Amino acid sequence: MNGPATLFAQLSTLSASLVLLVGIALLWRRSLRAYVRAFQWQSLVLSLVFVLVGYFGHDPELYVVAFFLFVLKVAVIPWYLNRLHERVGGERESQPYVNVATSLIVAGLLVLLAYVITHPLVRVSALPTRGGLPLAMGLIFVGLFVIITRRQALTQVVGFLVLENGIALLAVLGTLGIPLIVELGVFLDVLMGFLVMQVFVYHIHDTFESIDVDQLNKLRH
């Protein structure tokens, strides 16, 4: 690869690594506000990835996508999450289904699994961003792991958002560009899904005066 392509490859892999590391950092945080801050930082780096790909890929539409991503995921959704946290109260994630040490080990194994799964694709790909594909897949796995191993509904909402960030990262690195209309449709889906989850959290809290999803087991009786 020539100079600019090599630089692009290195920067894309580095930025994808940062996005993944912030996702893994969620696994040892307990405060719901810390989860929101981590999601903000992750989304900020992700928006910079879109700018990076737009610049080196000569795709100005990605600048618009990066702008909407920044507004929605760095500003709007975290503001709503903090507001929701203030309204329903926030139990700390003190007793997740899987403890912190085990979670970090599992996260490492999930990243290794992502490398195994994407290895055939990376080998045949000629994209300069191919080095970041396993990291994006690893982030998807980590987001899913957060959803299924945390007890607090708000934490699971953040896990869903991290999962969506992983999908967006995989898409932009795997295609070197996403049509604007497609990405705007994805943003709308994310926003609608978040609003539905917000209503879900409100109902859990109003019914059980808690946002622990284990309380839903009481509905069986």
Side-chain angles (χ1 to χ4, degrees):
M1 290 189 292
N2 56 29
T6 301
L7 178 62
F8 181 29
Q10 293 173 344
L11 290 176
S12 62
T13 302
L14 175 61
S15 55
S17 299
L18 292 175
V19 175
L20 175 62
L21 286 175
V22 176
I24 293 176
L26 290 174
L27 297 173
W28 74 69
R29 305 308 296 269
R30 296 182 183 275
S31 166
L32 295 178
R33 290 192 182 278
Y35 273 74
V36 175
R37 286 195 298 270
F39 168 70
Q40 277 184 294
W41 281 106
Q42 182 184 70
S43 299
L44 176 61
V45 177
L46 181 60
S47 64
L48 294 178
V49 172
F50 275 81
V51 172
L52 180 69
V53 175
Y55 176 77
F56 283 96
H58 308 290
D59 188 353
E61 283 192 351
L62 288 182
Y63 298 149
V64 180
V65 174
F67 171 77
F68 279 103
L69 192 154
F70 179 88
V71 171
L72 181 62
K73 295 186 176 182
V74 181
V76 176
I77 288 181
W79 181 79
Y80 270 104
L81 283 172
N82 285 323
R83 182 181 177 187
L84 183 59
H85 175 242
E86 292 173 357
R87 174 168 177 178
V88 303
E91 301 95 335
R92 292 169 59 85
E93 192 67 60
S94 57
Q95 293 182 325
Y97 295 120
V98 180
N99 63 40
V100 172
T102 305
S103 293
L104 293 175
I105 294 173
V106 173
L109 294 176
L110 290 174
V111 173
L112 289 177
L113 176 62
Y115 270 93
V116 172
I117 292 175
T118 58
H119 179 68
L121 177 61
V122 172
R123 286 189 60 186
V124 300
S125 175
L127 294 174
T129 54
R130 61 185 180 274
L133 297 179
L135 302 169
M137 183 63 71
L139 180 61
I140 294 174
F141 290 158
V142 169
L144 182 60
F145 183 70
V146 171
I147 294 173
I148 64 177
T149 61
R150 268 44 192 173
R151 299 165 63 100
Q152 303 301 320
L154 279 178
T155 306
Q156 293 184 355
V157 170
V158 175
F160 164 77
L161 295 170
V162 169
L163 171 64
E164 199 281 328
N165 275 354
I167 295 173
L169 181 63
L170 182 64
V172 73
L173 295 181
T175 63
L176 281 186
I178 304 173
L180 179 59
I181 188 64
V182 173
E183 190 60 30
L184 291 180
V186 172
F187 286 156
L188 181 60
D189 286 342
V190 172
L191 183 58
M192 292 302 297
F194 172 73
L195 293 176
V196 170
M197 289 181 178
Q198 180 176 248
V199 173
F200 176 68
V201 171
Y202 278 137
H203 277 293
I204 291 179
H205 180 264
D206 291 343
T207 303
F208 302 107
E209 296 184 353
S210 170
I211 55 173
D212 189 331
V213 295
D214 268 359
Q215 297 292 335
L216 293 178
N217 290 329
K218 296 180 180 179
L219 295 178
R220 299 177 181 175
H221 307 291

